Amino acid sequence: MKQYVRPGGPVRPVRADEWRQVKELRLSALKDPVAHLAFLETYERAAAAPDSVWRERAESAAAGTRVRQFVTEGPDGTWSGTVTVRLEEPGSADMFGGTVSRRQAHLVGVFVRPECRGSGVIDTLFDAALTWAWSLAGVSRARLYVHEDNARAERFYRRFGFVPSGQTVPMKGDPAKVEREMILGPPGASPGRS
C-alpha cells in the first residue's frame, strides 16, 4: 500500500479495523464552525449512529473498490485530516438526486483539524486521493461541491486546480443557498472532457 509523505505527515488509506478513529474524526469535523456549509450530515445524527454504521464505513473505505478514505497522521498517530473519494458510474444517481453522466471521482468529507491547517495536510490528502482516482480505469474527471458561502474551501480547491463547472444544486436543508460543482481533469486533460 503506497504511503504519501509531505510536510503535513504521512497519508494513507483507512484500514477496516479503524472505525473508532473514522467516527472520532467525523464527529470532530461536524463540530467545526463551518460544518453546516461543508457537510450534509449533522453532529447529532452522526453521534447517534450505531457502531455498525462506522464499521461499515471503515470496511467499505478500506476495500477501495467504490470508495476510498484517506487520512493523514500526526507524529503521535492522531489523525489530522481526511478526504473520501467515491467512484461514480454513468447512469447512477448522485448524492443530490441527479444522474451521473460519466465515470468520475467525487471528493467528499474533506476535513483538516484547525490546529493542522496551513501545514500542507490538505495538499497531501488531495494528492493521494487524486492519485487513486486517476489510477481507476476510465475516470474522466474529479468533482466536488462547495457551498456558495464556504470561501475558505473554495480558495483551496481553486488553488489546487479545480474550476467551477457552472452547475449548481440547491443546498439540502436550505434551498435558498447553492452548492457549486467544481471539476478537475486528469493530468494533461481539460477538466470537462468526456
Side-chain angles (χ1 to χ4, degrees):
M1 185 177 327
K2 186 172 182 178
Q3 188 176 64
Y4 304 81
V5 180
R6 292 233 344 225
V11 174
R12 63 170 177 79
V14 166
R15 293 186 282 265
D17 64 344
E18 294 179 317
W19 65 270
R20 287 179 184 86
Q21 294 95 318
V22 168
K23 178 180 179 178
E24 187 279 325
L25 190 58
R26 180 64 169 195
L27 292 177
S28 292
L30 293 171
K31 289 180 183 177
D32 191 272
V34 298
H36 66 287
L37 300 178
F39 301 103
L40 301 177
E41 179 177 43
T42 64
Y43 175 86
E44 293 75 22
R45 191 173 121 223
D51 290 346
S52 60
V53 167
W54 299 104
R55 284 188 182 99
E56 184 179 320
R57 280 188 187 187
E59 289 168 3
S60 177
T65 54
R66 311 237 6 108
V67 62
R68 190 69 140 168
Q69 181 178 1
F70 292 89
V71 294
T72 184
E73 293 179 301
D76 64 354
T78 301
W79 290 1
S80 52
T82 186
V83 63
T84 299
V85 185
R86 297 181 177 280
L87 178 60
E88 295 180 323
E89 297 289 356
S92 65
D94 69 17
M95 63 182 23
F96 294 103
T99 302
V100 174
S101 62
R102 64 186 64 156
R103 192 166 213 242
Q104 62 191 5
H106 188 161
L107 282 70
V108 298
V110 178
F111 176 70
V112 174
R113 292 184 195 272
E115 65 272 18
C116 299
R117 293 177 185 154
S119 68
V121 168
I122 190 71
D123 294 278
T124 306
L125 286 164
F126 268 60
D127 283 344
L130 290 167
T131 297
W132 180 75
W134 303 142
S135 76
L136 302 172
V139 171
S140 65
R141 71 176 187 171
R143 73 172 178 165
L144 51 79
Y145 284 88
V146 62
H147 189 283
E148 66 182 328
D149 294 335
N150 196 346
R152 180 184 74 199
E154 186 170 342
R155 273 192 307 276
F156 167 74
Y157 301 145
R158 285 179 182 272
R159 181 176 62 78
F160 202 85
F162 282 83
V163 296
S165 71
Q167 298 294 316
T168 61
V169 294
M171 177 71 179
K172 287 188 176 182
D174 186 3
K177 296 287 186 171
V178 298
E179 297 263 357
R180 295 184 188 121
E181 181 187 55
M182 298 186 77
I183 57 175
L184 178 71
S190 64
R193 81 170 180 84
S194 297

